[in-house]
Amino acid sequence: MRVSRLFAAVALGLASSLSVAADPDKAIRDALNAIQPGMPIEAVAESPMPGVYQVQLKGGRQLYASADGQFVIQGYLFQFKDGEALNLTEQAQSQSVAATINAVALKDMVIFAPKKPKTHITVFTDTDCGYCQKLHSEVPELNRLGVEVRYMAFPRQGMGSHGANTLTSVWCAKNPQEAMNKAKAREEVPAATCDNPVAEQYQLGQLIGVQGTPAIILADGQIIPGYQPAPQLAELALQAK
């Protein structure tokens, strides 16, 4: 059952049948796992809202729950402070996504870097994606503006697709940057196989909520779903630094 389907089950009263426990962490975990066994819960902690607990899932997604686990909320939690509305959910999600991406070894990415990068973006890419190709054509401009571009693989049609095979050949090439240039220019990339991270990165992208390509992750973990022109993207990337 997907996380988004969790709440239909809650509406049917599955969670309400659980007894109230003295330990909120255990009560919330028990309630969620009763509805979706194996739910990827990373942490349960008190949220800034009194009486509400924040549930962090692997990949950055957030849920909120009552201390007894009988009520669960999926959505944004805002805090109104000094005349401004702060999206606490987005902040928490971005921090988690940044930590997840930063845990990936740079050697497992295909990187295009300027001599003195000011910041970086991580792009989940598919070589068969038109907007990915357009974004790649602007990588030199992004580099000129001080933005390092780090590619991770995300074959939109799944493993075994043409895109997955091409991405594997890129990652296994003697010169991955050159192979990426060819793939994004719609040129044939010599087939190659090796021990590669394509499948693992595809799964990671799904975990953090990537649904299409290009999916751009700023240094602070903010996700930009889709192509952005180089000047606009560089401005966002430098702000996120």
Side-chain angles (χ1 to χ4, degrees):
M1 183 185 296
R2 296 175 62 87
V3 172
S4 60
R5 295 174 56 194
L6 161 65
F7 308 100
V10 174
L12 292 174
L14 294 180
S16 63
S17 65
L18 298 171
S19 59
V20 177
D23 180 2
D25 186 293
K26 184 178 185 305
I28 292 169
R29 288 176 185 270
D30 287 349
L32 294 177
N33 279 301
I35 297 164
Q36 181 178 329
M39 182 175 287
I41 300 171
E42 277 202 336
V44 177
E46 292 185 45
S47 79
M49 180 182 291
V52 176
Y53 283 74
Q54 184 168 316
V55 183
Q56 179 176 311
L57 305 181
K58 289 181 180 179
R61 287 171 293 177
Q62 311 288 316
L63 302 175
Y64 298 94
S66 59
D68 58 10
Q70 293 190 34
F71 296 91
V72 180
I73 302 170
Q74 181 184 35
Y76 292 125
L77 176 62
F78 290 89
Q79 180 180 19
F80 291 88
K81 187 176 181 180
D82 299 327
E84 293 185 8
L86 302 177
N87 191 326
L88 301 182
T89 305
E90 281 193 345
Q91 288 182 358
Q93 289 179 167
S94 293
Q95 290 171 3
S96 181
V97 168
T100 299
I101 296 298
N102 288 337
V104 178
L106 294 180
K107 67 179 180 61
D108 289 333
M109 303 180 185
V110 178
I111 299 176
F112 293 81
K115 290 183 178 180
K116 295 182 179 179
K118 299 176 182 177
T119 188
H120 69 272
I121 59 174
T122 304
V123 183
F124 282 87
T125 193
D126 184 338
T127 51
D128 288 346
C129 156
Y131 277 108
C132 296
Q133 295 164 358
K134 183 174 178 61
L135 176 62
H136 188 71
S137 72
E138 299 179 11
V139 166
E141 177 65 7
L142 288 167
N143 285 172
R144 188 188 70 79
L145 294 169
V147 181
E148 177 177 292
V149 179
R150 303 174 179 178
Y151 279 122
M152 295 180 68
F154 193 84
R156 296 169 300 163
Q157 296 181 351
M159 298 305 299
S161 65
H162 178 269
N165 294 336
T166 302
L167 287 165
T168 297
S169 295
V170 168
W171 255 258
C172 293
K174 291 183 178 179
N175 187 328
Q177 288 81 9
E178 181 180 316
M180 184 69 80
N181 287 336
K182 286 185 176 181
K184 292 298 180 71
R186 302 185 183 182
E187 297 178 15
E188 191 68 26
V189 177
T193 58
C194 64
D195 184 13
N196 67 83
V198 172
E200 183 179 349
Q201 291 181 3
Y202 178 54
Q203 293 174 355
L204 178 62
Q206 292 176 309
L207 184 65
I208 67 174
V210 173
Q211 296 181 337
T213 55
I216 303 163
I217 316 298
L218 304 183
D220 64 358
Q222 181 184 168
I223 300 177
I224 300 177
Y227 165 81
Q228 296 285 335
Q232 182 178 336
L233 180 55
E235 183 179 356
L236 292 171
L238 291 168
Q239 289 174 352
K241 170 186 174 184

